Amino acid sequence: DEREIASSFLNEFRASKIPWTCRMEGQLKHNTASYSIKPGLDWNTTPICHVSSSFTFDVGPLKVRGLVGDITNLTVDAIVNSSNKCLDLRKGAVSQNILIKGGSSLEKQLNTAENRRDMLKHGLTVTTSEEMSQIHCRFIYHVDAASIAKTSHVTAAWRKMVVKCLMKAEEMRLSSLAFPALGTGSLHGNLRITAQFMLEALEEFGSKRPLHLTNISIAVLEQHVLEALHNGMRERYIENMRLWNPEYEEKMSGDLLICGESSDILEEAIQPINRALCVLFT
């Protein structure tokens, strides 16, 4: 566990009673993690480490990336938002965030007859974000997640909706599209199923050899969600008798800088760290 490793290092450094700075970067099979630990901080209130995670793989011509982060901060052509027939964005963490950042400009678009008609007819409507400085994409795709949750075949309905979003982006000649972890509400948090229908939809769309849409992102708010999606997609790949992308082979590498008043002090501090590193990097 990354936090336990960082905590162990921190305890060793604090025990050495010398000024120090540590930065470690490691590439795991499902994420890239970096830690910055600096002296002079209140360790009772400051997080031991910050972990930023992501994974990437190819689905035919598509470059797919999973990451921990706020979907509204991604620099992509469009993002997908789970909504409902009434286009009420006051429910759900992602929708609420989009509504807050979109402000009155977004609310005006959501209330137009055209958008409401498209939502009722297709379960999908598109708003622009040109006047929304806090949202970095050009378009927002709103999908009727509430109706999908009520269908008897939820997984198939979600797969169909993901393909519909992908086809819409291709029709609009967009090159990048970002999804949240769709279906986690209607599927009661079953991320393995979410991972499988997302991957199946990407495979179906990729088989059509799109000319424009090639970059797909899946943004989630918590690392454990990302890891569950990664594992679910990996299982799906193996079930189809394909090798998972070799870049996921478990490996770590790092640089460690320790500063002290004398070589004797440094040697005393380095010995327990070396033992920990031998376990970690071999």
Side-chain angles (χ1 to χ4, degrees), residues 8-268:
S8 176
F9 284 166
L10 175 60
N11 290 334
E12 295 288 352
F13 292 142
R14 291 178 67 183
S16 68
K17 298 181 180 180
I18 59 174
W20 53 265
T21 299
C22 168
R23 181 173 180 82
M24 182 180 72
E25 294 186 357
Q27 184 174 352
L28 305 177
K29 59 185 177 182
H30 59 273
N31 68 44
T32 300
S34 65
Y35 316 103
S36 295
I37 306 174
K38 299 179 180 179
L41 298 177
D42 181 356
W43 299 107
N44 294 320
T45 60
T46 304
I48 291 175
C49 65
H50 171 73
V51 179
S52 59
S53 305
S54 65
F55 66 85
T56 60
F57 64 97
D58 298 338
V59 178
L62 305 177
K63 302 291 184 182
V64 184
R65 174 181 60 149
L67 71 154
V68 175
D70 184 345
I71 195 171
T72 63
N73 291 336
L74 300 185
T75 304
V76 293
D77 289 330
I79 62 175
V80 176
N81 172 47
S82 294
S83 186
N84 46 63
K85 272 187 168 60
C86 299
L87 289 169
D88 181 2
L89 270 60
R90 292 173 294 179
K91 299 179 180 179
V94 175
S95 291
Q96 290 177 17
N97 187 31
I98 291 173
L99 182 60
I100 291 170
K101 291 187 174 183
S104 59
S105 174
L106 178 58
E107 288 187 291
K108 288 178 182 178
Q109 293 184 64
L110 294 173
N111 289 324
T112 63
E114 180 181 2
N115 279 322
R116 292 190 172 278
R117 183 173 60 249
D118 286 346
M119 195 59 150
L120 289 171
K121 185 176 181 180
H122 305 292
L124 168 65
T125 193
V126 181
T127 58
T128 65
S129 53
E130 294 177 354
E131 299 178 10
M132 307 173 198
S133 60
Q134 295 187 68
I135 297 180
H136 296 207
C137 62
R138 295 164 54 199
F139 303 98
I140 304 173
Y141 288 15
H142 306 273
V143 301
D144 185 4
S147 294
I148 291 176
K150 297 176 182 178
T151 63
S152 56
H153 302 287
V154 177
T155 304
W158 268 121
R159 173 178 172 171
K160 183 177 179 180
M161 179 55 72
V162 173
V163 173
K164 183 181 289 188
C165 291
L166 295 167
M167 294 299 294
K168 183 67 173 178
E170 175 69 8
E171 176 188 322
M172 295 174 65
R173 300 192 173 190
L174 307 184
S175 63
S176 54
L177 180 65
F179 292 89
L182 295 170
T184 51
S186 57
L187 293 170
H188 307 291
N190 194 326
L191 293 164
R192 182 175 179 274
I193 295 178
T194 296
Q196 290 193 5
F197 77 68
M198 287 289 295
L199 185 55
E200 288 172 2
L202 291 169
E203 290 173 329
E204 180 180 338
F205 175 72
S207 68
K208 302 179 187 298
R209 297 292 170 183
L211 298 175
H212 307 286
L213 183 62
T214 56
N215 293 291
I216 309 298
S217 298
I218 305 172
V220 301
L221 296 176
E222 297 177 280
Q223 186 178 350
H224 75 89
V225 175
L226 185 74
E227 291 176 352
L229 288 175
H230 168 270
N231 292 336
M233 289 183 174
R234 181 177 181 274
E235 288 176 11
R236 175 66 184 175
Y237 255 58
I238 293 173
E239 285 175 2
N240 288 350
M241 300 183 69
R242 285 182 293 175
L243 292 176
W244 191 236
N245 196 319
E247 74 180 77
Y248 290 91
E249 293 179 0
E250 190 166 356
K251 57 183 179 180
M252 294 186 69
S253 61
D255 296 312
L256 186 63
L257 174 65
I258 304 174
C259 302
E261 297 177 353
S262 69
S263 58
D264 291 339
I265 294 176
L266 284 177
E267 185 64 30
E268 184 179 350

